[in-house]
Amino acid sequence: MKSYVVGNWKLNFTVGEASIYLHKLMRKIPNYRDLEVIVAPSTIALQPLSLQVDRHKIKLAAQNAFYRDYGAFTGETSFSQLRGIVDYAIIGHSERRYIFGERDKDIQKKVAGAIRNRITPILCIGETESERAFGETRDVIRDQLIGGLSEVSDDEIEKVIIAYEPVWAISSTKMKKLAMPEEVAEVTGLIKEILKEIYGGKVVEKVPILFGGSVNASNVGAYLTVPGVNGVLVGGASLILGEFNDIIEIAKRVRK
Ligand code: PEP
């Protein structure tokens, strides 16, 4: 299976800054055949960057989109509008869930909307600090995974990427703590169990699982050697070009 390094730029960079970053990153990295490098700029930058990007080296992801293809939905951008512009879309990020109130019933339609428009969804799931403290991690992961995938058929599941992002480990969270590799392994094991229950054993080796939560150049090697982890979703550290490039190079070495 391929490995993945995804940079989530969140609400950062003007279109000009994003373009300069992309230009510099393309100069730094070769065409890795077995490592997918993906960046997720703001929606406004996606179209111009899609004309600039060398898709052999880097793919673009949306950070979010709306599940209906068109209609009276002021302020939204649809997956159908992003079709051909991005290859991936981050869906159900914890900032979407907890700041913008997205629920599993929205997220499942977004996952389906992305697949319908030939965009690979990166479905983010993860427990909050208090859910973990109350011993609810397994239930939350199960609910978010089953909820997010409920419109995905047996034929479509191989078009989905799962990202495990414990909310308490995300760098912008006040109480941020680093996830221990054993904690990550436990949840990736659980994700595989649930996928197996729903879609059968063969699928488990075909659905990539990423880890996200304060990943940087110093800890990426440890996370990428956790059993069941196929890549990383990087927020803060992806904004620093040199560090993101280091993460990519480490990922390439670790997952040879
Ligand atoms: C994220 O927001 O997806 C993320 C993983 O952020 P950070 O790497 O900054 O914790």
Side-chain angles (χ1 to χ4, degrees):
M1 191 190 290
K2 269 189 188 178
S3 317
Y4 296 81
V5 173
V6 186
N8 176 13
W9 293 352
K10 310 193 185 192
L11 183 47
N12 292 291
F13 297 152
T14 62
V15 176
E17 288 163 348
S19 170
I20 292 168
Y21 182 118
L22 187 66
H23 174 76
K24 290 184 179 164
L25 185 61
M26 285 194 299
R27 281 184 28 180
K28 279 181 183 288
I29 62 171
N31 171 9
Y32 293 123
R33 271 206 276 140
D34 46 0
L35 175 67
E36 191 85 323
V37 177
I38 304 168
V39 293
S42 298
T43 306
I44 192 173
L46 289 172
Q47 200 275 339
L49 295 192
S50 75
L51 303 177
Q52 176 188 348
V53 74
D54 175 353
R55 290 185 191 210
H56 298 294
K57 291 187 176 183
I58 298 171
K59 302 283 199 311
L60 294 177
Q63 296 175 15
N64 175 42
F66 190 55
Y67 49 82
R68 296 284 285 270
D69 286 344
Y70 57 88
F73 304 104
T74 301
E76 295 293 332
T77 303
S78 67
F79 290 104
S80 61
Q81 290 172 318
L82 291 170
R83 186 176 182 148
I85 292 176
V86 299
D87 290 290
Y88 296 89
I90 297 172
I91 297 178
H93 189 278
S94 59
E95 285 149 20
R96 300 295 319 166
R97 291 177 190 264
Y98 300 111
I99 302 174
F100 299 100
E102 278 188 21
R103 293 153 302 172
D104 287 327
K105 72 180 179 48
D106 308 304
I107 291 163
Q108 62 196 225
K109 290 187 200 136
K110 292 187 176 200
V111 169
I115 294 174
R116 184 170 70 243
N117 286 291
R118 299 182 196 281
I119 293 168
T120 301
I122 303 173
L123 170 63
C124 298
I125 58 175
E127 80 287 1
T128 62
E129 190 184 31
S130 64
E131 287 163 345
R132 176 162 279 262
F134 284 110
E136 294 167 359
T137 300
R138 295 181 75 84
D139 290 341
V140 171
I141 294 298
R142 181 171 285 277
D143 287 352
Q144 291 184 353
L145 192 59
I146 293 176
L149 294 177
S150 64
E151 294 190 24
V152 178
S153 68
D154 289 1
D155 295 337
E156 291 167 336
I157 185 63
E158 290 174 27
K159 298 175 189 150
V160 175
I161 295 175
I162 308 295
Y164 170 52
E165 297 209 303
V167 181
W168 47 271
I170 290 186
S171 68
S172 52
T173 314
K174 271 203 207 100
M175 297 298 292
K176 187 204 87 174
K177 288 187 212 137
L178 280 185
M180 292 292 117
E182 314 80 69
E183 292 171 319
V184 178
E186 196 190 330
V187 176
T188 50
L190 173 64
I191 293 170
K192 283 181 185 289
E193 252 174 56
I194 300 167
L195 289 175
K196 197 167 162 186
E197 277 168 32
I198 316 176
Y199 296 103
K202 280 194 203 139
V203 154
V204 164
E205 298 317 318
K206 294 186 179 155
V207 178
I209 301 176
L210 316 186
F211 171 72
S214 302
V215 173
N216 57 35
S218 319
N219 61 27
V220 65
Y223 289 127
L224 285 172
T225 46
V226 172
V229 170
N230 308 104
V232 284
L233 177 45
V234 187
S238 74
L239 299 174
I240 306 156
L241 179 68
E243 177 140 25
F244 192 56
N245 185 48
D246 289 347
I247 291 171
I248 294 167
E249 283 181 1
I250 295 166
K252 180 64 198 158
R253 280 204 303 276
V254 171
R255 295 198 45 89
K256 264 205 305 256

